[in-house]
Amino acid sequence: MDYRDTAQEAAFRAELRAWFGQNIPPGWRDVIEDPAGRTEFRKQWHRTLHKAGYVAMSWPVEYGGRGLSPIFDAILGEETARADAPPLPGNVNFLGRAMWTHGTEEQKKRFLPMLLTGDAVWCQGFSEPEAGSDIAGLRTRAVLEGDEWVVNGQKMWTSGAHAADWCLLLVRTDPDKPKHKGISCLLTPMNVPGIEARPIYLANGEPETSEVFFDNVRIPRENMLGHRGGGWSIAMTTLAYERGPGDTGFVPKYQATLRRLEELAAERGRLADPAVRPALATAYIKGEALRLTVLEQLSLRVSGQLAGEEGSIAKLLWADAEQSIQHLAIELLGPDVWLGRAPQRLSAYLSSRPVSVYGGSSQIQKNILAQRVLRMPRA
Amino acid sequence: MLALLTDEQRMLRDVVRGAAAEMGLSSADLAGADRGRGWAELSAIGVPGLRLRGATGAPAASGVEVMIAAEELGSRLVPLPYLGAAILPVELLALAGAPARVVGPLADGSTRASVLLSADLGTFAARPDEGGFGWDCADAGFALGLVPAAAGWTLARYGVTEVEPLEAADLTRTVAGIAVGERLEEYPLDQDGVDRWLALALTAASADIVGAMRGALAGAVDYSKDRVQFGVPVGSFQAVQHMCAEALVRVEGAASTVKYAAWGVDELAVPEALLAARTGKAYASAAARDVLETVMQVYGGIGQTWEHLAHVYLRRAMLSAQVLGDERHQLAEISHARLGGR
């Protein structure tokens, strides 16, 4: 047990700090504010990171990664937040694992390189209007006609769909089989006829995600990932990896938010309020509990013990920490939040609400913990 | 970075777990229980002497081993004074460089001692020459007090002249007013030493709370699988499942902060070690009441009775939460550490 960086980790961290010091594009926030420039900027940043060797650190070397432990991904996330650098490409590790675990040799050769370099942007077509928490109830159909799958249906919450080149799409291929066993996974190009992506505007007024319509979309048969009927296990096993707060760089962002709130409370003279200091300290201990839980789960991953269902603990700590700190933020600012004088704070507050919904709602996480970790009986 | 127990630490956990299963409580009726049962075995495992310094000056075991022992013994409500009357006084004496003739008998379990605390157990006794209060101090043969000195502190060792047990909530530990005689010896101790001791003591109390929460929650979850109402186990109801899941999240959140604090006792610089220990104590203390109330609720009516262990867990954890400062106290200290006097 050692919570400090190893010599190799410390060297990597130092290297990253130096590199970020030289390479962060000035004014990048303004560039991604504009939806038109956002996609191109993200691709460009992905390429820059890849050239520097900062994409897919934990991928096996044979697939173009650096073969390092996932701790290095976590360090990259931490240093990205510390340097206030543009966001890392979000789903590269998760998609990569799905492809090298389940893909054919041809699929690996075709898809892994462009995932690495950022030449292809991916989205994930999982949820549907009628398949939210009950995602295995998805209805988007794929029917085999000759050498093509013909897809019809609708996906929801497909983040980044409008900018994506490809979609990891879950479809129902075998409606007569039990619902978990009739699902398959298609590697779907987004530029084919019959696909339409429309933005979904969330409560803060931003088009943060999308819905996607499929109307007789024809996908070559060889684009199936894994075997027919194997889509559910691909989605679940790969989701268990690399989708927690540790992989999203949430912890360092949270710590930065807390620092800003501490400054804000001091500037506004709110530290004299006897309720404010304990509230800020509570935000700190919640952040620590999350940081340290994430680190333990990462350590399990490093030692080859996949933290599966226990990942729900981190998700629940994450949702609670983020929603509590946003409550604290709006309390510190008082009426300004609601009178249009702090629009970013209002937006940040509203953005904290879906944290307990996306990636599995808090209620689903509790079901998972009760039934699969505590082994309580199903109803 | 790697936050996993070593193989040796897992072995210690298994050994203590086995011992705790034998010497733990099975009923709240302590009147007839042999409180001394198991002390020899615990001493043989080496629990009282975990922090004894060896020839190199390094402790026999790190804060992590203390955490492991405290969690495992706490989870079974073991009613023996291994923390307050052994590990904590050994640590304080060792930090002050006391000789082996004083520390040795504590570490091998043949003598017990108590650190003199304030009436609310929140800090050191202000005037230890006049006595103080002891936590987990059953059969303390001598007492230790901290007296301000020109540079830092003086650790004074006293004979115990009178012990007046309080009717404290915790049924498994002795809390008592302690009257003392003349100072037997004095050892100098600097502020860093005091803070190091605080880091270990806070962590040990927090680990006790984590253990109590773990043990109690495991029992409640087991019960919910067996208890049938409306023709089904009550643990199949989502309302019950979500209560237990929420409790699990709190327990694991607490455990992760306490594990870091336990590692930090020996590995972090003093201010960071103390901040980590206060973080664990604040988190565990806040979780204790919620989690143990959930446990009592899951047991339903039977969980409200004197004979049931649920309230014994609650009592123990809530008293441990008071030791060296409860959640409120720790949050104030954390706030001071982060914001200073602003």
Side-chain angles (χ1 to χ4, degrees), chain A residues 260-272:
Chain A
R260 276 200 297 277
L261 288 187
E262 287 171 339
E263 291 305 320
L264 184 74
E267 282 162 20
R268 296 203 162 202
R270 295 295 307 280
L271 293 177

Side-chain angles (χ1 to χ4, degrees), chain B residues 75-87:
Chain B
S75 78
R76 293 297 189 129
L77 295 169
V78 171
L80 292 167
Y82 46 89
L83 288 182
I87 293 174

Side-chain angles (χ1 to χ4, degrees), chain A residues 290-311:
Chain A
L290 177 65
R291 172 177 79 86
L292 294 160
T293 301
V294 165
L295 188 56
E296 281 190 47
Q297 296 190 345
L298 206 53
S299 301
L300 285 171
R301 205 190 280 170
V302 171
S303 71
Q305 303 157 265
L306 171 60
E309 289 94 7
E310 288 82 0

Side-chain angles (χ1 to χ4, degrees), chain A residues 1-4 9 69-71 291-307 310, chain B residues 1-11 13 62 64-65 67-68 252 255-256 259-260 262-263:
Chain A
M1 180 185 296
D2 194 339
Y3 287 81
R4 278 179 295 244
E9 288 161 1
S69 94
I71 296 282
R291 172 177 79 86
L292 294 160
T293 301
V294 165
L295 188 56
E296 281 190 47
Q297 296 190 345
L298 206 53
S299 301
L300 285 171
R301 205 190 280 170
V302 171
S303 71
Q305 303 157 265
L306 171 60
E310 288 82 0
Chain B
M1 288 187 280
L2 203 64
L4 298 177
L5 298 184
T6 63
D7 289 345
E8 290 78 12
Q9 287 165 344
R10 279 200 295 272
M11 272 169 55
R13 183 189 61 194
S62 78
V64 178
E65 280 80 6
M67 171 203 80
I68 290 168
E252 293 307 317
S256 66
K259 195 195 272 186
Y260 177 65
W263 172 82

Side-chain angles (χ1 to χ4, degrees), chain A residues 4 9 277 366-367, chain B residues 1 242 246 267 338 342:
Chain A
R4 278 179 295 244
E9 288 161 1
R277 280 176 167 267
K366 288 175 199 173
N367 287 352
Chain B
M1 288 187 280
H242 282 198
E246 283 162 19
E267 300 291 340
R338 285 183 65 80
R342 285 200 284 181

Side-chain angles (χ1 to χ4, degrees), chain B residues 179-268:
Chain B
V180 298
E182 297 289 299
R183 294 187 195 179
L184 302 174
E185 285 130 28
E186 296 178 355
Y187 313 98
L189 187 60
D190 61 14
Q191 186 62 44
D192 271 5
V194 172
D195 287 346
R196 282 262 174 230
W197 181 83
L198 268 178
L200 181 80
L202 288 165
T203 301
S206 307
D208 184 68
I209 297 170
V210 169
M213 293 193 293
R214 279 222 171 105
L217 181 61
V221 167
D222 282 348
Y223 177 81
S224 80
K225 298 175 187 176
D226 293 335
R227 170 73 174 168
V228 172
Q229 291 288 276
F230 305 103
V232 294
V234 296
S236 66
F237 294 120
Q238 196 176 46
V240 177
Q241 292 191 349
H242 282 198
M243 286 167 65
C244 293
E246 283 162 19
L248 175 68
V249 172
R250 299 291 294 280
V251 175
E252 293 307 317
S256 66
T257 59
V258 174
K259 195 195 272 186
Y260 177 65
W263 172 82
V265 163
D266 302 291
E267 300 291 340
L268 289 171

Side-chain angles (χ1 to χ4, degrees), chain B residues 14-35:
Chain B
D14 294 345
V15 168
V16 179
R17 186 173 290 176
E22 285 184 21
M23 57 187 76
L25 291 191
S26 53
S27 127
D29 186 12
L30 279 161
D34 175 7
R35 293 272 195 129

Side-chain angles (χ1 to χ4, degrees), chain B residues 90-324:
Chain B
V90 165
E91 177 76 357
L92 194 53
L93 284 163
L95 285 162
R101 77 179 157 75
V102 176
V103 191
L106 277 181
D108 68 23
S110 54
T111 300
R112 295 175 186 173
S114 179
V115 178
L116 295 169
L117 300 177
S118 59
D120 65 1
L121 306 185
T123 183
F124 294 101
R127 283 184 293 278
D129 288 350
E130 298 165 23
F133 289 82
W135 168 67
D136 194 25
C137 60
D139 302 323
F142 63 88
L144 298 169
L146 268 192
V147 189
W153 301 87
T154 296
L155 179 64
R157 190 166 87 89
Y158 307 89
V160 170
T161 55
E162 205 181 329
V163 174
E164 194 174 336
L166 305 185
E167 291 197 16
D170 186 353
L171 306 175
T172 63
R173 287 194 164 119
T174 302
V175 182
I178 295 175
V180 298
E182 297 289 299
R183 294 187 195 179
L184 302 174
E185 285 130 28
E186 296 178 355
Y187 313 98
L189 187 60
D190 61 14
Q191 186 62 44
D192 271 5
V194 172
D195 287 346
R196 282 262 174 230
W197 181 83
L198 268 178
L200 181 80
L202 288 165
T203 301
S206 307
D208 184 68
I209 297 170
V210 169
M213 293 193 293
R214 279 222 171 105
L217 181 61
V221 167
D222 282 348
Y223 177 81
S224 80
K225 298 175 187 176
D226 293 335
R227 170 73 174 168
V228 172
Q229 291 288 276
F230 305 103
V232 294
V234 296
S236 66
F237 294 120
Q238 196 176 46
V240 177
Q241 292 191 349
H242 282 198
M243 286 167 65
C244 293
E246 283 162 19
L248 175 68
V249 172
R250 299 291 294 280
V251 175
E252 293 307 317
S256 66
T257 59
V258 174
K259 195 195 272 186
Y260 177 65
W263 172 82
V265 163
D266 302 291
E267 300 291 340
L268 289 171
V270 169
E272 283 76 36
L274 193 50
L275 178 60
R278 293 195 187 287
T279 299
K281 186 74 177 2
Y283 199 100
S285 301
R289 197 182 71 183
D290 292 346
V291 168
L292 292 161
E293 285 180 355
T294 292
V295 165
M296 289 181 77
Q297 183 70 17
V298 169
Y299 278 114
I302 200 71
Q304 319 304 316
T305 62
W306 176 258
E307 289 75 14
H308 201 280
L309 284 181
H311 73 98
V312 185
Y313 276 111
L314 175 81
R315 287 163 174 271
R316 175 158 166 152
M318 292 307 289
L319 185 60
S320 294
Q322 310 307 310
V323 174
L324 297 167

